[in-house]
Amino acid sequence: MKARMEELVDAWDPQAEKPGKFSTDVKYQMQMQGASDYFLDSADRIHFFIEKDAGDEDGKIKNSLSKARSLNKVGHGLHVADPVFREYSQSSKVADLVEELGYRDPVLPQSMYIFKQPVTGSEVTSHQDSSFLHTTPRPTCMGLWLALDDATLENGCLWARPGSHLEAVRRVFVRNPEYFEGGNRKATQLVFENLDDSKAPAWEWEGKMPDGFEAPSSGLREKGFKALECEAGDLVVIHGQVDHLSLANTSAKPRETFQLHLVEGPGEGITWSPRNWLQYPTGKTFPSLRPSARKRKAEDSDP
Ligand SMILES: O=C(O)CCC(=O)C(=O)O
């Protein structure tokens, strides 16, 4: 996967294809991702997003950085658009795990390759994945976070808050009706909406870092977060309601990961919200991980 990503980055021409900037900071998300067709169009394609401090006002990569070192992530359709990432994403190994975890009609809406660059890789603020990948009538999102390097306290491993999977989804990141239905092209494309549910009190760190987070042992642990250090090749399974985050990489070591996000599909009576930021072009469906669908596909391609 690392070798394939190097090829993709080598072939990427940031002049021809102006990269998007990416940050999980709430204000920035509303301003930048919230106003970018490059982000919205990345659903089933391979698009490149640079660190927010790696570009100038026009989104051009600063001269001091190589294109490879400027990248925050590549997404969100590697699992459909690239043969190497597709082979893993739609493999029996992944499908069997997902089935074992209780999914009956799993589909794969999203994938991301996150770089967390040495020294410049920024933090990912606390969030629930079901805020970004929303299904009805119940949340069904699950993340499969594959470490491509050892992930440690030094290079920005994951942190998660045990027990938070029992909490409700607090908010959703959705297409703004003012822009998409009202036609107001000056409005922000994407907005956060708090879910009106008394069982879901606001989590104080949602979308922002706590004071003093640079010293994780004092801040994060007191709030109940646990570090998930792991080795290259380990897979962390993340329930869609679990609060999780990662700190900046202040070390000289890389911390690359490939991540899949899946949800239950229509066979289980689950609907992908039409308000989600991520929508495939009309007529194109998320790949299915259901064993019968995969078996049929293999038989069809077998001469
Ligand atoms: O890789 C990271 O640093 C965090 C990724 C994450 O939070 C996610 O995929 O939901």
Side-chain angles (χ1 to χ4, degrees):
M1 285 181 189
K2 282 187 140 187
R4 178 60 182 154
M5 185 46 68
E6 258 183 63
E7 286 173 4
L8 291 172
V9 173
D10 277 351
W12 167 49
D13 177 2
Q15 309 293 347
E17 192 188 324
K18 205 172 105 185
K21 292 190 198 176
F22 189 81
S23 164
T24 55
D25 173 78
V26 173
K27 215 167 113 220
Y28 192 80
Q29 248 169 8
M30 304 282 273
Q31 287 168 350
M32 295 306 300
Q33 275 124 261
S36 148
D37 286 339
Y38 189 73
F39 182 73
L40 289 177
D41 290 347
S42 68
D44 63 334
R45 302 192 193 159
I46 302 173
H47 280 189
F48 298 80
F49 298 91
I50 60 174
E51 287 284 346
K52 75 172 158 42
D53 296 330
D56 61 20
E57 290 288 293
D58 302 326
K60 252 181 69 197
I61 297 168
K62 288 179 184 163
N63 286 338
S64 54
L65 283 171
S66 68
K67 64 176 177 175
R69 286 300 296 273
S70 73
L71 282 166
N72 172 294
K73 73 168 173 179
V74 172
H76 293 88
L78 284 160
H79 64 296
V80 281
D82 181 80
V84 172
F85 289 97
R86 191 169 53 225
E87 189 183 330
Y88 159 77
S89 307
Q90 301 187 32
S91 64
S92 330
K93 208 169 175 180
V94 168
D96 289 350
L97 170 74
V98 169
E99 189 182 8
E100 199 180 312
L101 290 170
Y103 281 76
R104 292 290 161 258
D105 183 27
V107 293
L108 269 181
Q110 172 180 279
S111 56
M112 300 188 282
Y113 191 105
I114 294 193
F115 293 88
K116 193 74 101 176
Q117 301 280 355
V119 186
T120 53
S122 57
E123 78 273 0
V124 171
T125 56
S126 177
H127 64 281
Q128 299 171 297
D129 287 340
S130 286
S131 292
F132 298 90
L133 304 163
H134 186 46
T135 54
T136 56
R138 61 183 168 91
T140 58
C141 177
M142 182 167 77
L144 301 179
W145 189 100
L146 178 66
L148 301 180
D149 293 305
D150 294 349
T152 65
L153 289 173
E154 285 71 41
N155 67 357
C157 67
L158 281 174
W159 288 75
R161 192 161 63 83
S164 52
H165 66 290
L166 298 171
E167 298 172 12
V169 180
R170 293 179 292 268
R171 58 181 191 159
V172 285
F173 187 56
V174 289
R175 293 177 175 235
N176 184 2
E178 203 182 321
Y179 181 96
F180 288 95
E181 286 152 37
N184 177 2
R185 291 296 176 252
K186 292 207 173 103
T188 312
Q189 285 177 322
L190 301 171
V191 287
F192 281 106
E193 260 179 29
N194 290 328
L195 295 179
D196 185 18
D197 185 339
S198 55
K199 292 192 299 282
W203 169 245
E204 57 190 306
W205 287 352
E206 181 118 38
K208 60 181 197 278
M209 288 316 231
D211 291 338
F213 73 87
E214 299 85 353
S217 53
S218 62
L220 293 174
R221 289 201 174 100
E222 272 167 22
K223 292 290 179 189
F225 278 85
K226 290 216 157 64
L228 300 176
E229 290 188 293
C230 59
E231 292 178 5
D234 285 350
L235 183 83
V236 182
V237 178
I238 307 176
H239 185 286
Q241 276 130 273
V242 162
D243 275 315
H244 60 289
L245 57 86
S246 65
L247 300 177
N249 183 358
T250 51
S251 80
K253 293 187 185 148
R255 198 235 62 186
E256 298 184 10
T257 60
F258 180 59
Q259 305 174 28
L260 291 172
H261 285 101
L262 57 100
V263 295
E264 276 288 18
E268 279 295 288
I270 299 294
T271 303
W272 179 251
S273 169
R275 298 197 59 202
N276 276 319
W277 78 265
L278 183 147
Q279 302 292 337
Y280 279 12
T282 312
K284 190 166 178 181
T285 53
F286 301 145
S288 172
L289 285 183
R290 197 171 34 169
S292 55
R294 291 179 41 260
K295 207 165 142 241
R296 234 186 353 262
K297 208 167 132 204
E299 280 164 6
D300 288 350
S301 59
D302 190 352

